[in-house]
Amino acid sequence: MTGSTHAHADAPHEPVFVGKVREQLDALFPKYPTKQACLLPALWMVQEARGWISPAAMAEVADVLGLTPAYVRGVATFYTMYHLHPVGRHFIQVCGTSPCHLCGSDDVLKAILKATGCGELGATSADGRFTVVEVECLGACGFATPILIDDDFHDSVTPERVAGILARYP
Amino acid sequence: MGYPHPPHPKETVVLSKYFGDAEARTFDGWVKRGGYEALKKALGMTPDAIIEELKASGLRGRGGAGFPTGLKWSFMPKNDGKPHYLVCNADESEPGTFKDREIMRWTPHQLIEGCAIGAYAIGAETCYIYIRGEFTEPWKVMTAAVAEAYAKGALGGNVFGSGKRIDIVLHRGAGAYICGEETAMMNSIEGKRGNPRIKPPFPAQAGLFGMPTTINNVETLSSTSHILTRGAAWYKGLCLSNPKSTGTKLFSVCGHVMRPGNYELTMGFPMKDLIHDLAGGMRPGRRLKAVIPGGSSVPIMTAAEAEAALCDYEGIVEKGSMLGSAGFIVMDDSTDMVYEIWRLAKFYAHESCAQCTQCREGTAWTTKILERILRGQGKKEDLDLLLDLSDQMTGRTICVLSDSCAAPIVSGIKKFPEEFEAYLSRAKAPALAAV
Ligand SMILES: Cc1cc2nc3c(=O)[nH]c(=O)nc-3n(C[C@H](O)[C@H](O)[C@H](O)COP(=O)(O)O)c2cc1C
Ligand code: FES
């Protein structure tokens, strides 16, 4: 589940739901009374495979679940964790909600924006390595400041620890 | 990742007894610690007997509303021939709250056992555990534990040879605070946008996939196994103040304290001791200014109110706030209340599902007003406008997200007016750059 695949918005769409991924989805169907209930899991599978969810991938999801592409888009846009645009090789989420803000999350965010070369929130660094976003409460307020890099959770991050942590994500 | 502290002598460890004990994560390790005895016992009882036991224990929902759990389970129809569902709420997104995460990380089988007991008691064969998308580590731990529970016969078509079927399906959220609201969660599982539904119908009549459904928080379900093994009377006896608040509860403490973390306390424990003793008190030279005790969605308490309050449902109401999810956000005298209230309003504006006008417009508008106050561009009438908007945002919407945004604003203006005045009179330098 890493954001390591770097796809381009204009590349032709290679189907996601073939082979292993298709088997993964098929194994989910019996767990729900409707196919539609597999929509969030299916979108996760696309993101895991491709790093983001393109309009063509949404159309494919619609097709395998018997929904319309517009419906799938309507749902995908509701949830902030789905990337509807390509992002950097490593996706960094930094908590900025009040409990973490009280403990200095602003400084952590600044240090991360600087060290990654992203400069601003939501932007991808020129080398394509990082995208940084500020997110709301990560449910780990006692371990401020928590950050997520791809699927790895790091707690008690301070500006001083930023360089060492980022070095693990080439 | 380490961190669970050794239990403080004033804690009553039931749920958190094995936090930090990696062996407790495995099926065999859990069984060695007495795990799954409660489920086996439950399977030999009638569902009604289990519900009566829960009612007698006084257990109330730990997700925020404090609704009596036994009573909630008793609302489920009997012999209606329809599939029933149990939904476990592991969305834990309320700012200040981080207890369910620790239950899942350290004692996944404690939750699985509770879910299985709940499912059996309400006549459900399937329990969906909805885990917020950001909880990658709890997700991995839970996935491994569920697989192990199936392999050992604690889940599946014939649970411990009882002939009963109980399945657990983990469902991953994808970033939306509102999906913690019970009906939004049901829509989300169904593959829809996470919009809360109008009630009635209530979930017990028509919930997930239109079927009778019960939804409970992770901590609520995890508490059930202990009640079945040790008895309702024992649980009811865990009470230091009001008999309507029983048992132990995990209190998450964060913000300006020396030892943030989860503390498991008997209901009715003095908040003063929790903050100043267990959580280590303020940093050197700092004094307590305010506490938001219920996660961020409840009124702010002043230091005096907090220090006089008892930590249970009634004790906190008595001092002007609510227990909510028991995520204590502690603020010392270095805190800019206006700034933190703005940051919370921004949270709610970001998280509003935008169905209801009062919420969609109100959360965004109050955020903008607070922002202009912080930029040194506030107007004299802004406080009245904030209070008026907050009034319009309270008690008028499908769910209470809008009320939750208003609670810190109204209490903040009432209890810390001088901090707002300082910005409005330009006596204080702007905290945000002017635009
Ligand atoms: C906006 C909103 C967010 C909520 N978030 C959560 C949550 O993250 N976790 C939770 O357990 N309950 C949450 N709740 C409460 C649930 O709607 C529900 O009351 C609870 O899960 C019931 O379980 P309980 O009776 O065991 O407490 C939220 C409610 C609202 C209105
Ligand atoms: S506020 Fe940052 S994790 Fe909760």
Side-chain angles (χ1 to χ4, degrees), chain B residues 251 253 257 268-276 282 287-294 299-312 315-322 328-331 415-416:
Chain B
F251 292 83
V253 187
V257 287
F269 191 87
M271 200 187 291
K272 189 175 179 181
D273 289 358
L274 172 59
I275 292 170
H276 292 293
M282 306 297 107
R287 290 178 48 202
L288 179 66
K289 184 190 236 176
V291 177
I292 318 186
I300 304 174
M301 304 175 90
T302 61
E305 288 168 332
E307 286 171 346
L310 297 176
C311 293
D312 63 20
I316 297 183
V317 167
E318 216 168 273
K319 299 292 170 214
S321 189
M322 282 182 287
F328 284 55
I329 306 170
V330 179
M331 297 178 259
K415 295 175 187 177
F416 301 93

Side-chain angles (χ1 to χ4, degrees), chain B residues 40-194:
Chain B
K40 287 179 187 155
K41 184 172 178 188
L43 292 167
M45 295 166 72
T46 63
D48 282 342
I50 297 173
I51 291 172
E52 284 314 311
E53 190 75 4
L54 280 186
K55 279 188 185 164
S57 75
L59 174 66
R60 291 167 67 178
R62 305 303 196 214
F67 194 85
T69 307
L71 186 61
K72 186 187 268 193
W73 290 9
S74 74
F75 293 154
M76 290 292 277
K78 302 209 165 53
N79 308 317
D80 56 339
K82 291 182 186 168
H84 291 188
Y85 293 107
L86 177 67
V87 176
C88 170
N89 191 337
D91 196 51
E92 191 157 65
S93 311
E94 177 74 21
T97 317
F98 47 95
K99 59 186 179 67
D100 299 340
R101 167 182 196 272
E102 297 298 279
I103 292 178
M104 290 188 281
R105 283 180 69 220
W106 292 112
T107 55
H109 290 284
Q110 181 169 231
L111 177 58
I112 292 170
E113 188 173 5
C115 289
I117 293 169
Y120 172 70
I122 62 160
E125 291 191 339
T126 309
C127 167
Y128 293 97
I129 305 183
Y130 188 100
I131 302 180
R132 65 177 294 184
E134 294 87 345
F135 273 180
T136 49
E137 201 202 355
W139 175 270
K140 280 181 206 142
V141 176
M142 287 300 300
T143 302
V146 167
E148 227 192 333
Y150 271 101
K152 303 279 185 174
L155 294 174
N158 183 15
V159 176
F160 290 137
S162 65
K164 287 281 168 202
R165 166 171 283 285
I166 300 174
D167 287 308
I168 288 186
V169 179
L170 303 181
H171 194 91
R172 189 177 179 197
Y177 165 72
I178 191 61
C179 288
E181 195 281 335
E182 55 190 23
T183 56
M185 180 164 288
M186 291 169 195
N187 278 338
S188 186
I189 296 173
E190 290 179 14
K192 299 172 181 163
R193 293 168 71 89

Side-chain angles (χ1 to χ4, degrees), chain A residues 31-32 74 79 96 101 137, chain B residues 128 132 171 192-193 340 343:
Chain A
K31 300 185 175 193
Y32 299 89
Y79 298 93
H101 176 263
C137 182
Chain B
Y128 293 97
R132 65 177 294 184
H171 194 91
K192 299 172 181 163
R193 293 168 71 89
E340 296 310 330
R343 191 60 189 77

Side-chain angles (χ1 to χ4, degrees), chain B residues 4-20 30 33 107 110 219 222-223 226 230 234-235 238 247-251 262-267 269 278:
Chain B
H5 53 265
H8 188 283
K10 289 185 184 166
E11 282 187 81
T12 308
V13 285
V14 177
L15 296 163
S16 61
K17 189 166 177 193
Y18 299 110
F19 283 9
W30 190 244
R33 287 159 183 75
T107 55
Q110 181 169 231
E219 189 185 353
S222 297
S223 301
H226 304 284
R230 296 166 82 167
W234 159 78
Y235 200 78
L238 295 169
T248 63
K249 164 99 195 72
L250 288 167
F251 292 83
N262 286 303
Y263 295 91
E264 186 169 5
L265 305 172
T266 300
M267 283 289 195
F269 191 87
L278 279 67

